[in-house]
Amino acid sequence: MKKYMLAALNEAKSAAAEGEVPVGCIIEKDGEIIARAHNLTETLNDPTAHAEMLAIRQAARHCGWSRLCGCNMYVTLEPCSMCAGAIVWARIDKVYIGAMDPKAGACGSVMNIVQNERLNHIAEVETGIMQEECSRILKDFFAERRSRQHKDTKQYSANENTEESK
């Protein structure tokens, strides 16, 4: 289980290196990683290019079918409602989650789409897999982003004051 979450974390690191929110996802079937992805929403200008969506598409191509029965997903951050819906439609067996998302999570935090008995499939969920590492990469990413924005704001203010004094 840990080796798969490590692979998902490596995807999250790739996302961060590309300036994307660092979320990584892998899909495993019979002990083999059949799909791996990270967020690409900014790169592709596509609000649906979440790590989970990209991994599900890749896994479906690998399997040659839209149903991913027998597959497990490992994701560094709790999936949102869009991704949770895709997990149900793809019929993924189990979702292993690193960090929960108390603002937008749809696998137990804000809502629980993947275990809604009114839907046609219920996925098992296990949370807290390498939680500290998964949380840390997100916290570091957003702290760096806030720091950069703060520096940019200070620089802008300094330039503005210089222009006014001319």
Side-chain angles (χ1 to χ4, degrees):
M1 181 169 27
K2 186 175 178 177
K3 77 175 185 177
Y4 299 123
M5 190 57 81
L6 278 171
L9 265 169
N10 285 334
E11 287 296 320
K13 289 174 186 173
S14 294
E18 295 173 32
E20 296 280 354
V21 174
V23 176
C25 178
I26 68 102
I27 296 178
E28 166 268 325
K29 182 174 181 158
D30 300 326
E32 175 191 353
I33 294 175
I34 62 168
R36 60 180 69 233
H38 56 271
N39 277 1
L40 288 173
T41 56
E42 301 300 321
T43 302
L44 299 177
N45 293 317
D46 179 354
T48 70
H50 289 195
E52 302 94 325
M53 299 295 284
L54 298 171
I56 287 171
R57 290 176 189 138
Q58 192 180 110
R61 283 191 302 273
H62 174 87
C63 293
W65 198 36
S66 63
R67 304 290 185 250
L68 300 177
C69 303
C71 293
N72 299 306
M73 175 182 282
Y74 293 77
V75 62
T76 58
L77 180 66
E78 180 183 6
C80 69
S81 57
M82 172 183 68
C83 295
I87 289 165
V88 170
W89 285 109
R91 292 176 175 74
I92 290 174
D93 288 357
K94 189 164 185 175
V95 182
Y96 295 91
I97 300 168
M100 297 303 279
D101 185 350
K103 292 183 180 179
C107 295
S109 288
V110 177
M111 63 188 85
N112 195 345
I113 292 172
V114 298
Q115 294 182 323
N116 186 319
E117 293 180 0
R118 291 174 287 185
L119 299 177
N120 65 340
H121 175 75
I122 294 176
E124 288 183 58
V125 175
E126 188 170 331
T127 63
I129 313 303
M130 298 182 67
Q131 181 176 345
E132 180 56 37
E133 296 91 331
C134 293
S135 292
R136 175 62 40 215
I137 192 170
L138 287 157
K139 287 176 184 172
D140 290 349
F141 176 82
F142 286 111
E144 170 64 26
R145 182 181 271 183
R146 283 189 298 276
S147 173
R148 201 172 337 116
Q149 286 174 341
H150 181 69
K151 286 177 188 173
D152 291 346
T153 301
K154 277 184 154 182
Q155 182 65 39
Y156 177 75
S157 295
N159 288 343
E160 196 174 70
N161 290 337
T162 305
E163 291 297 318
E164 288 175 2
S165 64
K166 285 184 181 178

